[in-house]
Amino acid sequence: MELPFAESWRIKMVEPIRKSTREEREKWLEEAHNNVFQLKAEQVYIDLLTDSGTGAMSDRQWAAMMVGDESYGGSKSFFKMKDMIKKLTGFEYVIPTHQGRAAENVLFSYLVKAGDIIPGNSHFDTTKGHIESRKAVALDCTVDEAKDTQLEVPFKGNVCPKKLEKALSEHKDKIPFIIVTITNNTAGGQPVSMENLRQVKEIADKYNKPVLFDSARFAENAYFIKVREKGYENKTIKEIVKEMYSYADGMTMSAKKDAIVNMGGFIATNKAEWYEGAKTFCIPFEGYLTYGGMNGRDMEALAVGLDENTEFDNLETRIKQVEYLGKKLDEYGIPYQRPAGGHAIFVDADKILTCVPKEEFPAQTLTCELYLEAGIRGCEIGYLLADRDPVTRQNRFTGLDFVRLAIPRRVYTNNHMDVIAAALKNVYDRREQITRGVEITWEAELMRHFTVQLKRLGK
Ligand SMILES: *Cc1c(COP(=O)(O)O)cnc(C)c1O
């Protein structure tokens, strides 16, 4: 018989995790103001809050850490990292930063001015935050298909070329660059096709605008291009990555995702002008140019992580696990953003908690229910995360309302996936009894979901 699929690694080190009782969880969630970010990690059994910085490093990465060069200036580890980034992307200039949002902060301090408009495909929350805090506008030009969670199309993360053209023709002078997020996290970890990257570049060239890739999950995006896009089936992931970046002028990177390190990020570009501009902000915000907030050993691990995670086997193991969880939810009829994304399953809370009004945040309510059910910590990617409109200060209910189950890389087994699916099924089976949601009692002006305090209604 044909052998079943299995992981392309084996486990060398383990960390115990602990279950809790429903009574304990009721108490802990209350103490955390019904915001799972504020739970203690030890109060969580299976932690799907994020896939960011939560991956398991490989033996090669740990070994590389031992040879980290901690020199303040000109560290050998910086050059190893820079060479790997250049080999993969072709970018000449590299600025290290302590994580992805720091890369945004440094580069946008140079590029974004009040009144600017930055078109792109569903800007990530910190990206949007760094644009809006500079009194500029993040203009979403994602394809409309992304809004229909039940539609099965291969590249739901794409930029809509028509929306992008319209933005450029109407606001040309206010647009400093175009941003493409690969994969499109906010739309459900959905990939962007090579054809779309090429199209965006053509449109950008027509208006003489640079293109920036928000690259946290570029390797997962390359995997989807290989398995879904005609003409790429026989190319290696590294060849695909190289072609992807031939359509960009620069990138910001959260290395906590596809470089499988616990902390780290960078800016890379071929534009000398961006490099010179960003440099002056790196030093006061992040540190000197050859470490930018990272230890030498972390840059070593980052270089190895980039190399390993642009190999097919590693990506296949990861993405098949996410698909495995998706198939379990299919068995139970639980709706999520289809097809399964690269790093997470985005459960469609609006379609499940149909008795909870939008104003009471269905996805946040479902996040609480899943935690109470089994100690599983997901994350709301919905109306809370959407923040208020900067002008009207009204809640934004126009997008999607998801509970994201982000799967850390190389951390959990498929047995854990079975537990997650079963817990969600139990909540799903009693969905009609859940009629009240949550109410905000305290919130920050921007990026409120991290610190928001909530009250559970009707309880
Ligand atoms: C995580 C992420 C960021 C921000 O990176 P941090 O390392 O968390 O600061 C930016 N964009 C995307 C698409 C991300 O997923």
Side-chain angles (χ1 to χ4, degrees), residues 52 99-102 104 124 126-127 181 183 185 214 216-217 254-257 264:
S52 181
Q99 62 183 94
R101 69 199 65 188
E104 292 164 355
F124 181 67
T126 62
T127 319
T181 306
T183 57
N185 182 351
D214 180 357
R217 300 178 186 82
S254 169
K256 302 169 70 170
K257 283 66 169 252

Side-chain angles (χ1 to χ4, degrees), residues 353 355-357 360 365 430-437 457-458:
L353 297 187
C355 305
V356 176
E360 295 179 12
T365 307
R430 57 181 166 77
R431 64 191 179 279
E432 268 148 31
Q433 282 121 266
I434 305 169
T435 55
R436 298 303 307 270
L457 298 167

Side-chain angles (χ1 to χ4, degrees), residues 44 66 93 116 138 156 187 208 216 249 257 272 334 341 357 372 406 415:
V44 175
M66 296 303 291
Y93 303 108
D116 281 353
K156 249 175 155 173
N208 199 20
D249 296 279
K257 283 66 169 252
I334 301 171
L372 292 171
N415 291 328

Side-chain angles (χ1 to χ4, degrees), residues 142-196:
T142 309
V143 290
D144 287 334
E145 282 111 313
K147 290 208 181 108
D148 179 354
T149 62
Q150 299 311 294
L151 192 70
E152 291 256 0
V153 295
F155 293 102
K156 249 175 155 173
N158 280 356
V159 178
C160 171
K162 282 207 195 90
K163 292 185 196 170
L164 181 63
E165 273 261 23
K166 184 165 179 284
L168 281 159
S169 63
E170 285 172 9
H171 310 290
K172 185 176 184 306
D173 298 337
K174 289 185 182 164
I175 296 178
F177 61 93
I178 296 156
I179 190 160
V180 186
T181 306
I182 50 176
T183 57
N184 188 328
N185 182 351
T186 312
Q190 298 293 325
V192 178
S193 70
M194 192 73 89
E195 187 193 8
N196 192 245

Side-chain angles (χ1 to χ4, degrees), residues 101-387:
R101 69 199 65 188
E104 292 164 355
N105 188 31
V106 167
L107 185 62
F108 293 3
S109 291
Y110 169 64
L111 287 179
V112 181
K113 310 267 173 304
D116 281 353
I117 296 171
I118 325 283
N121 55 338
S122 329
H123 309 64
F124 181 67
D125 56 346
T126 62
T127 319
K128 184 160 64 100
H130 277 302
I131 292 170
E132 291 181 349
S133 67
R134 290 177 171 81
K135 308 257 180 293
V137 176
L139 183 68
D140 187 8
C141 298
T142 309
V143 290
D144 287 334
E145 282 111 313
K147 290 208 181 108
D148 179 354
T149 62
Q150 299 311 294
L151 192 70
E152 291 256 0
V153 295
F155 293 102
K156 249 175 155 173
N158 280 356
V159 178
C160 171
K162 282 207 195 90
K163 292 185 196 170
L164 181 63
E165 273 261 23
K166 184 165 179 284
L168 281 159
S169 63
E170 285 172 9
H171 310 290
K172 185 176 184 306
D173 298 337
K174 289 185 182 164
I175 296 178
F177 61 93
I178 296 156
I179 190 160
V180 186
T181 306
I182 50 176
T183 57
N184 188 328
N185 182 351
T186 312
Q190 298 293 325
V192 178
S193 70
M194 192 73 89
E195 187 193 8
N196 192 245
L197 295 176
R198 209 177 292 128
Q199 269 176 328
V200 168
K201 179 68 178 154
E202 276 166 22
I203 297 169
D205 282 349
K206 189 169 137 194
Y207 292 88
N208 199 20
K209 298 292 177 190
V211 178
L212 179 75
F213 288 176
D214 180 357
S215 301
R217 300 178 186 82
F218 75 98
E220 290 170 5
N221 200 86
Y223 171 89
F224 284 118
I225 289 175
K226 182 174 167 76
V227 300
R228 290 184 186 170
E229 193 164 349
K230 219 169 146 279
Y232 291 93
E233 47 283 75
N234 297 320
K235 295 220 189 305
T236 65
I237 297 294
K238 286 190 167 65
E239 287 166 342
I240 293 170
V241 167
K242 198 61 169 284
E243 184 182 340
M244 283 162 54
Y245 284 103
S246 73
Y247 306 124
D249 296 279
M251 66 192 286
T252 47
M253 175 76 187
S254 169
K256 302 169 70 170
K257 283 66 169 252
D258 270 354
I260 322 190
V261 288
N262 304 117
M263 197 56 72
F266 58 86
I267 301 163
T269 179
N270 270 337
K271 283 177 87 71
E273 174 204 329
W274 281 11
Y275 176 67
E276 293 301 325
K279 243 165 73 173
T280 57
F281 292 100
C282 179
I283 294 171
F285 290 160
E286 293 293 294
Y288 183 60
L289 298 172
T290 55
Y291 73 88
M294 269 191 281
N295 298 304
R297 54 181 174 271
D298 293 341
M299 294 189 281
E300 293 278 343
L302 200 164
V304 174
L306 282 176
D307 189 27
E308 283 181 353
N309 204 29
T310 46
E311 290 298 327
F312 182 75
D313 286 355
N314 201 64
L315 289 161
E316 185 188 38
T317 295
R318 163 167 189 61
I319 289 172
K320 289 220 159 151
Q321 182 170 56
V322 179
E323 284 171 0
Y324 177 89
L325 177 58
K327 281 183 197 141
K328 279 272 150 199
L329 299 194
D330 287 343
E331 259 175 55
Y332 304 145
I334 301 171
Y336 60 89
Q337 171 73 300
R338 312 186 69 85
H343 66 293
I345 294 290
F346 285 64
V347 180
D348 194 348
D350 233 13
K351 285 203 170 56
I352 296 173
L353 297 187
T354 48
C355 305
V356 176
K358 278 181 166 30
E359 292 72 22
E360 295 179 12
F361 302 99
Q364 181 61 24
T365 307
L366 186 58
T367 303
C368 292
E369 290 291 338
L370 184 61
Y371 175 72
L372 292 171
E373 178 67 29
I376 296 164
R377 173 157 69 170
C379 179
E380 195 251 23
I381 302 273
Y383 303 143
L384 272 180
L385 178 126
D387 273 337

